[in-house]
Amino acid sequence: MPRLACFDLDNTLIDRDRAFHDWVEWWVQRKGLGPEAVDWLHEHDGGGYRPREELFAGMKERFGLDADVAALVHAYDREYPVFASIDPAVVPGLASLRTAGWRVAVVTNGGVVQQSIKLERTGVGAVVDYCCISEAVGVRKPDPRIFKIAAAQTGATLVDGWMVGDHPAYDIAGGIAAGLSTILIGNHHPTAASPDRVPTHHFASVLQAFPVILAS
């Protein structure tokens, strides 16, 4: 069976932090708010892990916004991902794995609407075999079942496969629990000394992961 290479999406294949920053600048200006609102959003974003309902409830209270929280979240899910950006070499890198016989899956925690827009706009969705979005499959990383779903959907084996991502607790620990070798990208989250979070490799960019997987 072909082997499986799994990739996280945010701050792995795409620059999530830059996308959020660009959206914040646009949104704050559109709402007629000042620099304080920009700083507040960055301070309370939690790297994207704070629930958006909490984020916008706090924003509404702090700055007296008229729209209700549900409407703000609904708009965010469709506006923010439009700002997603990607290194031009990422799409060819993913394609090179498939050319070499690998099955490639995006395995991401998040909502279907938001993540689907990112996948389409960046071109990632067109060059992978399967996009496994947690909201769609009902399982979130680090639960190893999400990797088994990706393997089943791509007709691949997890044996001698890889998980590449930016989060030690979700991507690395989850990949290890599923029996995958792992590559940590960047330094977006604190790393722990726990053995279940120690990656096989740690690189600054996902571009460094492609040749390692190809050579394995």
Side-chain angles (χ1 to χ4, degrees):
M1 294 180 69
R3 293 184 288 167
L4 182 64
C6 300
F7 291 85
D8 176 48
L9 185 59
D10 293 306
N11 279 335
T12 300
L13 293 175
I14 70 172
D15 189 341
R16 186 268 166 192
D17 290 344
R18 178 179 175 182
F20 184 73
H21 172 78
D22 291 347
W23 170 82
V24 166
E25 295 281 348
W26 170 82
W27 188 81
V28 166
Q29 182 178 19
R30 181 167 171 256
K31 293 293 182 181
L33 304 174
E36 184 182 356
V38 172
D39 294 339
W40 191 96
L41 280 163
H42 282 297
E43 180 182 352
H44 292 84
D45 172 49
Y49 287 92
R50 185 176 185 183
R52 301 296 89 172
E53 290 80 8
E54 290 184 11
L55 181 68
F56 283 107
M59 192 72 183
K60 178 180 173 68
E61 180 180 357
R62 175 65 181 80
F63 294 96
L65 301 178
D66 292 332
D68 65 36
V69 171
L72 291 169
V73 173
H74 179 84
Y76 172 83
D77 282 341
R78 289 152 179 80
E79 294 168 352
Y80 146 68
V82 172
F83 292 89
S85 62
I86 192 169
D87 188 301
V90 167
V91 166
L94 293 169
S96 72
L97 293 176
R98 295 178 75 193
T99 299
W102 286 83
R103 298 291 168 84
V104 181
V106 171
V107 181
T108 176
N109 289 347
V112 172
V113 170
Q114 188 181 126
Q115 302 301 68
S116 295
I117 294 172
K118 295 175 189 175
L119 289 162
E120 180 180 358
R121 286 189 62 84
T122 59
V124 168
V127 294
V128 299
D129 295 290
Y130 178 58
C131 299
C132 192
I133 302 173
S134 64
E135 184 182 61
V137 300
V139 183
R140 292 175 56 85
K141 295 177 294 184
D143 191 323
R145 290 179 296 169
I146 197 168
F147 302 101
K148 294 177 181 178
I149 291 169
Q153 290 293 326
T154 57
T157 177
L158 294 176
V159 177
D160 295 326
W162 291 86
M163 175 59 199
V164 183
D166 72 298
H167 203 294
Y170 298 131
D171 299 315
I172 304 308
I176 291 171
L180 299 165
S181 297
T182 57
I183 299 175
L184 179 65
I185 302 301
N187 295 289
H188 301 282
H189 308 280
T191 55
S194 176
D196 69 347
R197 299 185 183 185
V198 177
T200 311
H201 301 284
H202 185 180
F203 298 135
S205 167
V206 71
L207 301 182
Q208 296 169 276
F210 298 133
V212 170
I213 296 173
L214 286 169
S216 68

